Amino acid sequence: MAAVSDRLPVFPWDKLEPYKATAAAHADGIVDLSIGTPVDPVPRLIQQALADAADSPGYPTVWGTVALRDAITGWVRGRLGASAAGHTNVLPVVGSKELVAWLPTQLGLGAGDKVAYPRLAYPTYEVGARLCGAEPVVYDDPTELDPAGVRLLWLNSPSNPTGKVLPKEELIRIVAWAREHGILVFSDECYLELGWEAEPVSVLHDDVCGGSYEGLVAVHSLSKRSNLAGYRAAFAAGDAAVLGELLQIRKHGGMMTPAPVQAATVAALGDDTHVAEQRERYAARRAALRTALEAHGFRVEHSEASLYLWVTRDEPCWDTVAHLAELGILVAPGDTYGEAGARFVRVAFTATDERVAAAVKRLG
């Protein structure tokens, strides 16, 4: 039996282990700015909603409770500007990474099909293509692709790793091109609520899609906005026909968001206060790290949104990783996100205030 893992690249974080060991040996301990996992407490009202739903002995449904679908559609209408969204336009998923990795398989893609994604991108887009045997294709501008064979087009705004935001006019142009060629667009918008120097816009916004979600799906996560990475709470929204097909497949696959997590998601989407408070924490950490990195000789590119600073010293990324590891700071090498990132590193500002302060001191 051929190993499916043979189709996949080396898991990127495994290659960081030696540098993590170096950073951990620092007298004041490691400052881990590599993965970007939330470190702040889960807001109390979300914890309470989870606890209140803890007595859930029965199987949850894949489509979620009516309350969950109400919460998602209400948020999609209000926050994304998708005024026509209804229950058939939403689908809960078990964390966005699961969806990204298995989407091409669930769409029935395979040999002869192409999955396109940005040249600098979250590695799981490529993984999803390879898992089903499709051909991964990178782009700088998707409208310059040969559309023949392209079945799935990933957009990512704000971008992971660069923090780049696609302006509304750009999204309108890309959507029109994809529809002209019958290409399904999935837009990864998990950092949409973390715009700093630009205001991210959803592909589902009325001005972008013209009020029709045909051929368009947006992917959202509560991991970053609500510190719920450990809950695996996410959802897709958009084309009812596409999501209806995925719903049927996921029913057979048992891909169910746990009932307590569904309840917690309802609470999270219904409260904006905790989102604003978390933004303030990240804004302060971002400002401190950016100032320290620039003073240390780094150049920051893009980074107008998301939870990362995309920086370079104009040297191979692994040299930068090694240099910072000696200071006890662990960052992500840029080539994890594609060859175009070979001279950059991604610096997350998800560490605690105390650890960010330690990094600032060491960089100084």
Side-chain angles (χ1 to χ4, degrees), residues 279-327:
R279 274 184 56 89
E280 290 179 6
R281 295 185 190 103
Y282 285 142
R285 294 165 185 166
R286 176 181 184 271
L289 283 169
R290 179 166 192 154
T291 298
L293 287 163
E294 289 177 333
H296 196 77
F298 284 95
R299 184 176 74 254
V300 179
E301 291 197 1
H302 297 301
S303 306
E304 57 257 34
S306 83
L307 285 178
Y308 313 107
L309 294 168
W310 184 241
V311 305
T312 181
R313 294 202 308 174
D314 295 310
E315 66 183 2
C317 63
W318 287 99
D319 290 354
T320 306
V321 169
H323 166 72
L324 291 174
E326 292 293 337
L327 299 178

Short mmCIF file of all heavy atoms in Angstrom, two decimals, residues 279-327:
data_model
loop_
_atom_site.label_atom_id
_atom_site.label_comp_id
_atom_site.label_asym_id
_atom_site.label_seq_id
_atom_site.Cartn_x
_atom_site.Cartn_y
_atom_site.Cartn_z
N ARG A 279 -8.19 42.75 19.98
CA ARG A 279 -7.53 43.59 18.98
C ARG A 279 -6.57 44.57 19.65
O ARG A 279 -5.47 44.81 19.16
CB ARG A 279 -8.56 44.36 18.15
CG ARG A 279 -9.11 43.63 16.95
CD ARG A 279 -10.05 44.54 16.17
NE ARG A 279 -9.39 45.77 15.78
CZ ARG A 279 -8.71 45.92 14.64
NH1 ARG A 279 -8.60 44.91 13.79
NH2 ARG A 279 -8.14 47.07 14.34
N GLU A 280 -7.00 45.15 20.76
CA GLU A 280 -6.14 46.11 21.46
C GLU A 280 -4.86 45.44 21.96
O GLU A 280 -3.77 46.01 21.88
CB GLU A 280 -6.90 46.73 22.64
CG GLU A 280 -8.01 47.69 22.21
CD GLU A 280 -8.74 48.27 23.40
OE1 GLU A 280 -8.32 48.03 24.56
OE2 GLU A 280 -9.76 48.97 23.19
N ARG A 281 -4.99 44.22 22.46
CA ARG A 281 -3.80 43.49 22.91
C ARG A 281 -2.84 43.26 21.73
O ARG A 281 -1.63 43.50 21.85
CB ARG A 281 -4.19 42.14 23.51
CG ARG A 281 -5.00 42.20 24.79
CD ARG A 281 -5.22 40.81 25.37
NE ARG A 281 -6.19 40.82 26.46
CZ ARG A 281 -7.44 40.42 26.35
NH1 ARG A 281 -7.87 39.90 25.20
NH2 ARG A 281 -8.26 40.48 27.37
N TYR A 282 -3.40 42.78 20.63
CA TYR A 282 -2.55 42.50 19.48
C TYR A 282 -1.94 43.77 18.90
O TYR A 282 -0.79 43.77 18.45
CB TYR A 282 -3.35 41.75 18.42
CG TYR A 282 -3.59 40.29 18.74
CD1 TYR A 282 -4.80 39.69 18.42
CD2 TYR A 282 -2.62 39.52 19.36
CE1 TYR A 282 -5.04 38.34 18.70
CE2 TYR A 282 -2.84 38.19 19.66
CZ TYR A 282 -4.06 37.60 19.33
OH TYR A 282 -4.28 36.28 19.62
N ALA A 283 -2.68 44.84 18.88
CA ALA A 283 -2.17 46.10 18.33
C ALA A 283 -0.95 46.58 19.12
O ALA A 283 0.05 47.03 18.53
CB ALA A 283 -3.26 47.17 18.35
N ALA A 284 -1.02 46.46 20.45
CA ALA A 284 0.11 46.90 21.28
C ALA A 284 1.33 46.01 21.06
O ALA A 284 2.47 46.50 20.95
CB ALA A 284 -0.30 46.89 22.75
N ARG A 285 1.12 44.71 20.96
CA ARG A 285 2.23 43.79 20.74
C ARG A 285 2.84 44.01 19.36
O ARG A 285 4.07 43.97 19.19
CB ARG A 285 1.74 42.34 20.90
CG ARG A 285 1.32 42.01 22.31
CD ARG A 285 0.52 40.72 22.39
NE ARG A 285 0.02 40.48 23.74
CZ ARG A 285 -0.90 39.60 24.05
NH1 ARG A 285 -1.45 38.84 23.10
NH2 ARG A 285 -1.30 39.45 25.30
N ARG A 286 1.99 44.22 18.39
CA ARG A 286 2.45 44.46 17.02
C ARG A 286 3.33 45.71 16.96
O ARG A 286 4.41 45.70 16.36
CB ARG A 286 1.25 44.62 16.09
CG ARG A 286 1.59 44.97 14.65
CD ARG A 286 0.31 45.12 13.83
NE ARG A 286 0.60 45.35 12.42
CZ ARG A 286 0.78 46.54 11.88
NH1 ARG A 286 0.69 47.62 12.64
NH2 ARG A 286 1.04 46.65 10.59
N ALA A 287 2.88 46.78 17.58
CA ALA A 287 3.64 48.03 17.56
C ALA A 287 5.00 47.86 18.23
O ALA A 287 6.03 48.33 17.71
CB ALA A 287 2.84 49.13 18.24
N ALA A 288 5.02 47.17 19.36
CA ALA A 288 6.28 46.99 20.08
C ALA A 288 7.26 46.15 19.28
O ALA A 288 8.46 46.49 19.15
CB ALA A 288 6.01 46.33 21.43
N LEU A 289 6.78 45.05 18.70
CA LEU A 289 7.68 44.18 17.94
C LEU A 289 8.15 44.85 16.65
O LEU A 289 9.32 44.71 16.26
CB LEU A 289 6.97 42.86 17.62
CG LEU A 289 6.88 41.86 18.78
CD1 LEU A 289 5.93 40.71 18.43
CD2 LEU A 289 8.26 41.32 19.14
N ARG A 290 7.26 45.55 15.98
CA ARG A 290 7.66 46.21 14.73
C ARG A 290 8.77 47.22 14.98
O ARG A 290 9.77 47.25 14.25
CB ARG A 290 6.45 46.88 14.09
CG ARG A 290 6.81 47.60 12.79
CD ARG A 290 5.61 47.99 11.98
NE ARG A 290 6.02 48.41 10.65
CZ ARG A 290 5.26 48.35 9.59
NH1 ARG A 290 4.03 47.87 9.67
NH2 ARG A 290 5.71 48.74 8.41
N THR A 291 8.60 48.03 16.01
CA THR A 291 9.63 49.03 16.33
C THR A 291 10.96 48.36 16.65
O THR A 291 12.02 48.78 16.16
CB THR A 291 9.17 49.88 17.52
OG1 THR A 291 7.97 50.58 17.17
CG2 THR A 291 10.24 50.89 17.91
N ALA A 292 10.92 47.28 17.44
CA ALA A 292 12.16 46.60 17.83
C ALA A 292 12.82 45.91 16.64
O ALA A 292 14.06 45.96 16.49
CB ALA A 292 11.84 45.57 18.92
N LEU A 293 12.04 45.29 15.78
CA LEU A 293 12.61 44.61 14.61
C LEU A 293 13.24 45.60 13.65
O LEU A 293 14.32 45.35 13.12
CB LEU A 293 11.52 43.80 13.91
CG LEU A 293 11.07 42.52 14.63
CD1 LEU A 293 9.73 42.03 14.08
CD2 LEU A 293 12.14 41.43 14.50
N GLU A 294 12.58 46.70 13.41
CA GLU A 294 13.14 47.70 12.50
C GLU A 294 14.42 48.30 13.07
O GLU A 294 15.40 48.52 12.33
CB GLU A 294 12.10 48.78 12.22
CG GLU A 294 10.95 48.29 11.33
CD GLU A 294 9.88 49.32 11.10
OE1 GLU A 294 9.70 50.22 11.96
OE2 GLU A 294 9.20 49.25 10.05
N ALA A 295 14.46 48.53 14.38
CA ALA A 295 15.68 49.04 15.00
C ALA A 295 16.81 48.02 14.94
O ALA A 295 17.99 48.39 14.93
CB ALA A 295 15.39 49.41 16.46
N HIS A 296 16.46 46.75 14.85
CA HIS A 296 17.45 45.68 14.79
C HIS A 296 17.96 45.44 13.37
O HIS A 296 18.83 44.61 13.15
CB HIS A 296 16.82 44.39 15.34
CG HIS A 296 17.80 43.32 15.69
ND1 HIS A 296 18.57 43.33 16.83
CD2 HIS A 296 18.15 42.17 15.03
CE1 HIS A 296 19.34 42.25 16.86
NE2 HIS A 296 19.10 41.52 15.79
N GLY A 297 17.40 46.15 12.41
CA GLY A 297 17.87 46.03 11.03
C GLY A 297 16.94 45.30 10.09
O GLY A 297 17.32 45.01 8.94
N PHE A 298 15.74 45.01 10.51
CA PHE A 298 14.77 44.33 9.65
C PHE A 298 13.95 45.33 8.85
O PHE A 298 13.70 46.45 9.30
CB PHE A 298 13.83 43.46 10.49
CG PHE A 298 14.45 42.18 10.98
CD1 PHE A 298 15.01 42.12 12.25
CD2 PHE A 298 14.47 41.05 10.17
CE1 PHE A 298 15.59 40.94 12.71
CE2 PHE A 298 15.04 39.87 10.63
CZ PHE A 298 15.60 39.82 11.89
N ARG A 299 13.51 44.89 7.70
CA ARG A 299 12.56 45.65 6.88
C ARG A 299 11.23 44.91 6.90
O ARG A 299 11.19 43.69 6.67
CB ARG A 299 13.07 45.78 5.45
CG ARG A 299 12.17 46.64 4.56
CD ARG A 299 12.76 46.83 3.16
NE ARG A 299 12.65 45.63 2.33
CZ ARG A 299 13.66 44.83 2.03
NH1 ARG A 299 14.87 45.08 2.51
NH2 ARG A 299 13.47 43.77 1.26
N VAL A 300 10.17 45.62 7.18
CA VAL A 300 8.83 45.04 7.22
C VAL A 300 8.15 45.29 5.88
O VAL A 300 8.12 46.42 5.39
CB VAL A 300 7.98 45.65 8.35
CG1 VAL A 300 6.58 45.05 8.35
CG2 VAL A 300 8.66 45.44 9.70
N GLU A 301 7.62 44.22 5.27
CA GLU A 301 6.87 44.36 4.02
C GLU A 301 5.42 43.94 4.25
O GLU A 301 5.14 43.01 4.99
CB GLU A 301 7.51 43.54 2.91
CG GLU A 301 8.85 44.09 2.46
CD GLU A 301 9.32 43.56 1.11
OE1 GLU A 301 8.57 42.75 0.50
OE2 GLU A 301 10.43 43.93 0.69
N HIS A 302 4.51 44.62 3.54
CA HIS A 302 3.07 44.37 3.69
C HIS A 302 2.71 44.44 5.17
O HIS A 302 2.91 45.47 5.80
CB HIS A 302 2.68 43.04 3.06
CG HIS A 302 2.93 42.98 1.59
ND1 HIS A 302 2.34 43.87 0.71
CD2 HIS A 302 3.71 42.17 0.84
CE1 HIS A 302 2.74 43.59 -0.51
NE2 HIS A 302 3.58 42.58 -0.47
N SER A 303 2.16 43.37 5.72
CA SER A 303 1.85 43.28 7.16
C SER A 303 0.77 44.28 7.58
O SER A 303 0.67 44.63 8.75
CB SER A 303 3.11 43.51 8.01
OG SER A 303 4.14 42.63 7.63
N GLU A 304 -0.07 44.70 6.61
CA GLU A 304 -1.12 45.67 6.97
C GLU A 304 -2.29 45.03 7.72
O GLU A 304 -3.17 45.72 8.21
CB GLU A 304 -1.62 46.40 5.73
CG GLU A 304 -2.17 45.51 4.62
CD GLU A 304 -1.19 45.33 3.47
OE1 GLU A 304 0.03 45.30 3.74
OE2 GLU A 304 -1.64 45.24 2.32
N ALA A 305 -2.29 43.69 7.81
CA ALA A 305 -3.35 42.99 8.54
C ALA A 305 -2.79 41.66 9.02
O ALA A 305 -1.63 41.34 8.81
CB ALA A 305 -4.57 42.78 7.64
N SER A 306 -3.62 40.89 9.71
CA SER A 306 -3.32 39.55 10.24
C SER A 306 -2.58 39.63 11.57
O SER A 306 -2.51 40.69 12.20
CB SER A 306 -2.54 38.69 9.23
OG SER A 306 -1.16 38.97 9.27
N LEU A 307 -2.01 38.49 11.98
CA LEU A 307 -1.33 38.38 13.28
C LEU A 307 0.18 38.28 13.13
O LEU A 307 0.86 37.80 14.04
CB LEU A 307 -1.84 37.15 14.03
CG LEU A 307 -3.23 37.27 14.65
CD1 LEU A 307 -3.63 35.96 15.32
CD2 LEU A 307 -3.26 38.39 15.67
N TYR A 308 0.71 38.72 11.98
CA TYR A 308 2.12 38.49 11.69
C TYR A 308 2.78 39.73 11.11
O TYR A 308 2.14 40.57 10.47
CB TYR A 308 2.28 37.34 10.69
CG TYR A 308 1.44 36.14 11.04
CD1 TYR A 308 0.30 35.82 10.31
CD2 TYR A 308 1.78 35.33 12.13
CE1 TYR A 308 -0.48 34.72 10.65
CE2 TYR A 308 1.00 34.24 12.48
CZ TYR A 308 -0.13 33.94 11.73
OH TYR A 308 -0.91 32.86 12.08
N LEU A 309 4.09 39.79 11.32
CA LEU A 309 4.94 40.75 10.61
C LEU A 309 5.81 39.94 9.65
O LEU A 309 6.42 38.94 10.03
CB LEU A 309 5.81 41.53 11.60
CG LEU A 309 5.04 42.47 12.55
CD1 LEU A 309 5.95 42.96 13.66
CD2 LEU A 309 4.46 43.65 11.78
N TRP A 310 5.85 40.39 8.39
CA TRP A 310 6.59 39.71 7.34
C TRP A 310 7.86 40.52 7.13
O TRP A 310 7.81 41.64 6.62
CB TRP A 310 5.74 39.65 6.07
CG TRP A 310 6.28 38.91 4.91
CD1 TRP A 310 6.56 39.42 3.67
CD2 TRP A 310 6.57 37.50 4.82
NE1 TRP A 310 7.01 38.43 2.83
CE2 TRP A 310 7.02 37.24 3.50
CE3 TRP A 310 6.50 36.44 5.72
CZ2 TRP A 310 7.39 35.96 3.08
CZ3 TRP A 310 6.87 35.18 5.30
CH2 TRP A 310 7.30 34.94 4.00
N VAL A 311 9.02 39.99 7.58
CA VAL A 311 10.22 40.82 7.68
C VAL A 311 11.42 40.13 7.03
O VAL A 311 11.46 38.91 6.87
CB VAL A 311 10.54 41.14 9.16
CG1 VAL A 311 9.33 41.77 9.84
CG2 VAL A 311 10.97 39.90 9.93
N THR A 312 12.42 40.96 6.71
CA THR A 312 13.64 40.44 6.08
C THR A 312 14.85 41.26 6.49
O THR A 312 14.73 42.46 6.78
CB THR A 312 13.50 40.45 4.55
OG1 THR A 312 14.70 39.92 3.96
CG2 THR A 312 13.27 41.86 4.00
N ARG A 313 16.01 40.61 6.48
CA ARG A 313 17.31 41.29 6.59
C ARG A 313 18.09 41.07 5.30
O ARG A 313 19.32 41.23 5.27
CB ARG A 313 18.13 40.74 7.76
CG ARG A 313 17.54 41.01 9.12
CD ARG A 313 18.59 40.95 10.22
NE ARG A 313 19.40 39.72 10.20
CZ ARG A 313 20.44 39.52 11.00
NH1 ARG A 313 20.80 40.46 11.88
NH2 ARG A 313 21.13 38.39 10.95
N ASP A 314 17.36 40.70 4.23
CA ASP A 314 17.99 40.44 2.93
C ASP A 314 19.06 39.36 3.02
O ASP A 314 20.17 39.51 2.50
CB ASP A 314 18.54 41.74 2.33
CG ASP A 314 17.44 42.74 2.01
OD1 ASP A 314 16.47 42.34 1.35
OD2 ASP A 314 17.55 43.90 2.43
N GLU A 315 18.70 38.27 3.69
CA GLU A 315 19.58 37.12 3.81
C GLU A 315 18.70 35.87 3.77
O GLU A 315 17.47 35.96 3.90
CB GLU A 315 20.35 37.17 5.13
CG GLU A 315 19.47 37.02 6.37
CD GLU A 315 20.25 37.14 7.68
OE1 GLU A 315 21.46 37.38 7.64
OE2 GLU A 315 19.61 36.98 8.74
N PRO A 316 19.29 34.69 3.55
CA PRO A 316 18.48 33.47 3.56
C PRO A 316 17.69 33.33 4.86
O PRO A 316 18.21 33.61 5.95
CB PRO A 316 19.52 32.36 3.42
CG PRO A 316 20.65 33.01 2.68
CD PRO A 316 20.70 34.42 3.20
N CYS A 317 16.44 32.90 4.74
CA CYS A 317 15.55 32.89 5.90
C CYS A 317 16.08 32.03 7.04
O CYS A 317 15.91 32.38 8.22
CB CYS A 317 14.14 32.46 5.50
SG CYS A 317 14.00 30.79 4.83
N TRP A 318 16.73 30.93 6.71
CA TRP A 318 17.22 30.07 7.78
C TRP A 318 18.39 30.70 8.54
O TRP A 318 18.59 30.41 9.73
CB TRP A 318 17.60 28.69 7.24
CG TRP A 318 16.39 27.89 6.89
CD1 TRP A 318 15.83 27.71 5.66
CD2 TRP A 318 15.52 27.20 7.81
NE1 TRP A 318 14.69 26.96 5.74
CE2 TRP A 318 14.47 26.62 7.05
CE3 TRP A 318 15.53 27.00 9.20
CZ2 TRP A 318 13.45 25.87 7.63
CZ3 TRP A 318 14.52 26.26 9.78
CH2 TRP A 318 13.49 25.70 9.01
N ASP A 319 19.13 31.59 7.88
CA ASP A 319 20.16 32.36 8.60
C ASP A 319 19.51 33.28 9.62
O ASP A 319 20.00 33.45 10.75
CB ASP A 319 21.00 33.18 7.62
CG ASP A 319 21.90 32.32 6.75
OD1 ASP A 319 21.96 31.09 6.97
OD2 ASP A 319 22.53 32.87 5.82
N THR A 320 18.40 33.89 9.21
CA THR A 320 17.67 34.77 10.13
C THR A 320 17.08 33.96 11.28
O THR A 320 17.13 34.39 12.44
CB THR A 320 16.54 35.50 9.38
OG1 THR A 320 17.06 36.18 8.25
CG2 THR A 320 15.85 36.49 10.30
N VAL A 321 16.51 32.80 10.97
CA VAL A 321 15.96 31.94 12.02
C VAL A 321 17.05 31.59 13.04
O VAL A 321 16.83 31.64 14.26
CB VAL A 321 15.35 30.65 11.41
CG1 VAL A 321 15.01 29.64 12.50
CG2 VAL A 321 14.10 30.98 10.61
N ALA A 322 18.23 31.23 12.54
CA ALA A 322 19.34 30.87 13.43
C ALA A 322 19.78 32.05 14.28
O ALA A 322 20.05 31.91 15.48
CB ALA A 322 20.51 30.33 12.60
N HIS A 323 19.88 33.23 13.65
CA HIS A 323 20.29 34.43 14.38
C HIS A 323 19.33 34.73 15.53
O HIS A 323 19.75 34.98 16.67
CB HIS A 323 20.36 35.61 13.41
CG HIS A 323 20.46 36.94 14.09
ND1 HIS A 323 21.60 37.37 14.73
CD2 HIS A 323 19.54 37.95 14.25
CE1 HIS A 323 21.39 38.58 15.24
NE2 HIS A 323 20.15 38.94 14.96
N LEU A 324 18.04 34.70 15.24
CA LEU A 324 17.06 35.02 16.27
C LEU A 324 16.99 33.92 17.33
O LEU A 324 16.74 34.21 18.51
CB LEU A 324 15.69 35.27 15.64
CG LEU A 324 15.60 36.55 14.79
CD1 LEU A 324 14.26 36.63 14.08
CD2 LEU A 324 15.82 37.79 15.67
N ALA A 325 17.22 32.67 16.93
CA ALA A 325 17.21 31.58 17.90
C ALA A 325 18.31 31.77 18.95
O ALA A 325 18.13 31.44 20.13
CB ALA A 325 17.37 30.24 17.20
N GLU A 326 19.44 32.32 18.52
CA GLU A 326 20.52 32.60 19.47
C GLU A 326 20.09 33.65 20.50
O GLU A 326 20.63 33.70 21.61
CB GLU A 326 21.77 33.07 18.73
CG GLU A 326 22.44 32.01 17.88
CD GLU A 326 23.04 30.88 18.71
OE1 GLU A 326 23.32 31.10 19.91
OE2 GLU A 326 23.22 29.76 18.18
N LEU A 327 19.14 34.49 20.13
CA LEU A 327 18.59 35.48 21.05
C LEU A 327 17.42 34.91 21.85
O LEU A 327 16.78 35.62 22.62
CB LEU A 327 18.12 36.72 20.28
CG LEU A 327 19.18 37.49 19.49
CD1 LEU A 327 18.53 38.65 18.75
CD2 LEU A 327 20.30 37.98 20.40
#
